[in-house]
Amino acid sequence: MIDLIHVTKRFGATTAVDDISLSVAQGELCVLVGTSGCGKSTTLRMINRLIEHSDGEIHIDGQQIRAFREETLRRRMGYAIQSTGLFPHWTVARNIGLVPRLLKWPQARIRERVEELMTLLGLPVSEFADKYPRQLSGGQAQRVGVARALAADPDILLMDEPFGALDPITRETLQEELRALQGRLHKTIVFVTHDMDEALRLADRLVVMDQGRIKQQGHPLELLREPADAFVESLLGGEDRGLKEAALLPVSERMLPLSPRLLARERVAHDASLREALSIMLWRHAERLTVVDDEDLPIGELSLRRLVGAKAHE
Amino acid sequence: MPEETPRPNIVLWSLLLAALPAWLGLDAVSVAPNRIVPGSGHSAAEVAGLPGLVASLVPALAVLWLAWRPTRERLRLALGLVVAMLAALPAWLALAAAELVDPALPQARMGIGGGVWVGLFLLLLALIELRTRLTLSRPLGWALLLVPLASLALCLSLWLEPLALRREYAGRSQQFLAAIGEHLLLVGSAVGLSLVIGVGLALAMRRWPRARELGFAVLNFLQTIPSLALFGLLLAPLAWLSARVDWLAALGVSGIGWAPALLALVGYSLLPMVRNTYVALEEVDPGVVDAARGMGMSRGQVFRQVRLPLALPVILEGIRITSVQAIGLTAVAALIGAGGLGTFIFQGLGQAAMDLVLLGALPILVMALAADALLGALTDLLRPGGAT
Ligand SMILES: Nc1ncnc2c1ncn2[C@@H]1O[C@H](COP(=O)(O)OP(=O)(O)OP(=O)(O)O)[C@@H](O)[C@H]1O
Ligand SMILES: [Mg+2]
């Protein structure tokens, strides 16, 4: 659990972060978004004291972060960044084992943990353990970066545009993996990104920043439906917000039970998003879809009218 | 892969086409009855007669023919021929000595002429070219050189006693070894001292940015003073110091000798050392350092485990440049009585005895090449993540 209370950061005359208050609950994935230079990285780096805050208080589990030694504090938090920051002169295994080694875990336990993490992140141990970072693709390197951040099983993860340098497909894969990982590990995560789709896909709590201040925060749907001002609205996509919202809602939420009518020919999975359903309708020129479950058995139907009507914008 | 007929290797052709007229036209050796009289030159044809000359041309022409269609196998063959020619050169000199030097004259000597020097130089370049074309590793390239070196050692010990260079050496073998020792000691202490001071300065410059500009300005200025002038400038203050401070005098510090030489050498070595160390430490990827700190490494751990190992190849590069430069500069230090191989060079120049000059210059050349090669290999070895 992370609390920022009236936190300010000044670099000389410029105020990079201006009196922000933010609370991230245990197990919550909090995403910071905003235009370049608005203070996202500064906010993140104040939490592990890579940057010291000028005013206000930052608490971890109710304790002031300044009560800890810097190193002790950082070893309790995972840290992953866009450039990966992997040590080029260390192998993948050694990179991942960094924090456990700093914490003086016994050798055998470190090795066990490294192998566990490599498996968790889809990096076959026999293939990757002895490789050097320069021998990895961008996606593999980011996986190693995330594994390294998770190594000592920290409660808190700080991630600064970790997927920023990847192609859209790899990026989406890693986003899904992060969501799945989060479903199992329930870390408290602060995640910085430029990419609004990434933010909406990942966030439990979305924080919009502008010029060092928090403009609005809350669940992504909340922000989409009720943006506080024009800035938040345009950042969230302006006219595209309808599609972005549809991308967050599952088909199952809007489907109707099967009617006695003939089954519609085109199908959609019950856990697909409304956006995908709409896309299928557009593509297939269909106004009605059959909703199927995991076994591909029909469990309901979704009409175009129902789909758009469901987005209660009254 | 199927080998298309490759284009002629221009480099080998140019080298050999330059070597042939030198070998045919220039004096290969010169012979003198004693040290005072200037020698009389002899061309390669005079030494071995027409058949010998033709025999010496065959491998060169063969290399030309091989280089016309340089497939890998043909280049390997050419490499063998070049190494063989290099190895044959000392034997050829031994032959010339037996032919031309009158055994009745104990002072008679044979000097090596332009033809042989040019040939040797161009053959070595051909060797380098072949090593690069065949992508042989550096150590293998050096190992190839062992063959001609062994041949040289053998010929020197058995038949090449009349060689002027060897006569000069025989007259001062003790001095020669002592000079090599002095030379290495001066270079070693200059590089060692400048490494310690240079790393210290680089660290200080990183900590206090103000010190940086001043430091580099001073070091750049030092570098521009000609070496002889710097020795001269140090003369007065050091003489004054040794007159005032007893323990300095007891150490042998004075206006001339090793003390000003060492000071000047350190002065010159500092710039490349500091510059490389500073740049190396400064240019470590900031993302890597950020991650290291973010993971909870202490400042000391970041420096020792991340910054230093990543900077090491570039720092070693600085040591390499410094060493090669110091090996050359130490020769000049002989002028102010610092000893070393430069002594022979300046004695030889004074007595117009070119072979004595060579006795000093050749080992300096070898030392510089060896330092360059060794430290270069070490740098490659230490590149992060193994070989690049
Ligand atoms: N070390 C520093 N010294 C001075 N100013 C800084 C420093 N770090 C950041 N700033 C300033 O603080 C402001 C916020 O920077 P920050 O890196 O937090 O932005 P950001 O939101 O992460 O931007 P981006 O999306 O481009 O990464 C910027 O105006 C930046 O110039
Ligand atoms: Mg940033």
Side-chain angles (χ1 to χ4, degrees), chain B residues 103-130:
Chain B
L105 296 173
Q107 286 299 312
R109 55 193 58 215
M110 183 181 80
I112 299 174
V116 170
W117 284 125
V118 173
L120 175 66
F121 180 66
L122 294 174
L123 280 179
L124 284 175
L125 287 183
L127 187 70
I128 293 175
E129 163 70 10
L130 283 165

Side-chain angles (χ1 to χ4, degrees), chain B residues 9-350:
Chain B
N9 183 313
I10 311 274
V11 180
L12 284 177
W13 267 76
S14 325
L15 288 174
L16 286 165
L17 285 183
L20 285 177
W23 179 244
L24 296 174
L26 297 178
D27 284 345
V29 292
S30 68
V31 177
N34 57 47
R35 189 160 183 246
I36 320 290
V37 183
S40 54
H42 298 270
S43 71
E46 285 172 69
V47 172
L50 200 58
L53 188 67
V54 171
S56 74
L57 290 181
V58 167
L61 293 175
V63 171
L64 275 182
W65 175 70
L66 289 169
W68 186 251
R69 292 264 170 266
T71 61
R72 256 189 106 73
E73 292 86 76
R74 289 166 66 106
L75 282 184
R76 268 201 212 112
L77 215 56
L79 182 68
L81 282 173
V82 168
V83 172
M85 278 191 274
L86 281 168
L89 215 48
W92 187 89
L93 283 174
L95 188 79
E99 193 95 343
L100 300 171
V101 179
D102 185 352
L105 296 173
Q107 286 299 312
R109 55 193 58 215
M110 183 181 80
I112 299 174
V116 170
W117 284 125
V118 173
L120 175 66
F121 180 66
L122 294 174
L123 280 179
L124 284 175
L125 287 183
L127 187 70
I128 293 175
E129 163 70 10
L130 283 165
R131 186 188 75 85
T132 325
R133 289 274 159 232
L134 289 168
T135 55
L136 303 181
S137 70
R138 229 175 261 272
L140 194 58
W142 288 104
L144 281 174
L145 265 188
L146 286 180
V147 181
L149 283 178
S151 145
L152 178 66
L154 185 73
C155 294
L156 271 179
S157 64
L158 291 182
W159 306 298
L160 277 176
E161 203 184 324
L163 198 65
L165 205 55
R166 181 141 194 268
R167 287 237 198 272
E168 296 289 351
Y169 166 76
R172 35 178 84 71
S173 59
Q174 291 297 323
Q175 273 170 284
F176 181 75
L177 287 181
I180 286 193
E182 288 160 8
H183 209 100
L184 286 177
L185 189 64
L186 260 180
V187 169
S189 23
V191 173
L193 270 177
S194 61
L195 178 64
V196 173
I197 303 175
V199 170
L201 277 179
L203 291 181
M205 287 179 181
R206 276 173 43 77
R207 175 153 298 190
W208 297 288
R210 292 274 175 77
R212 195 180 67 214
E213 275 164 43
L214 181 70
F216 275 125
V218 170
L219 293 177
N220 272 316
F221 171 69
L222 271 185
Q223 204 77 7
T224 58
I225 311 177
S227 50
L228 266 178
L230 187 54
F231 292 140
L233 283 177
L234 286 168
L235 205 147
L238 280 175
W240 183 81
L241 266 182
S242 79
R244 292 297 166 99
V245 187
D246 288 340
W247 62 268
L248 280 180
L251 267 175
V253 172
S254 69
I256 57 167
W258 64 265
L262 186 60
L263 270 182
L265 283 176
V266 170
Y268 285 123
S269 305
L270 276 179
L271 180 66
M273 204 68 104
V274 172
R275 192 177 41 207
N276 274 57
T277 309
Y278 180 83
V279 169
L281 291 172
E282 206 59 9
E283 294 206 329
V284 170
D285 179 359
V288 171
V289 175
D290 183 54
R293 295 191 50 217
M295 295 283 145
M297 291 179 110
S298 67
R299 278 180 191 283
Q301 283 168 329
V302 172
F303 188 81
R304 285 191 307 275
Q305 297 186 35
V306 181
R307 217 183 258 285
L308 196 57
L310 289 178
L312 211 52
V314 186
I315 297 179
L316 269 174
E317 181 74 10
I319 300 180
R320 188 177 66 87
I321 296 170
T322 310
S323 306
V324 171
Q325 178 185 289
I327 288 171
L329 274 175
T330 302
V332 183
L335 277 180
I336 52 162
L341 289 161
T343 321
F344 298 138
I345 298 183
F346 293 112
Q347 268 179 23
L349 286 173

Side-chain angles (χ1 to χ4, degrees), chain A residues 245-255 269-274 302:
Chain A
E245 182 190 357
L248 293 182
L249 298 171
V251 164
S252 54
E253 222 171 82
R254 297 303 168 213
M255 73 176 184
H270 70 107
D271 54 356
S273 69
L274 289 181
L302 181 70

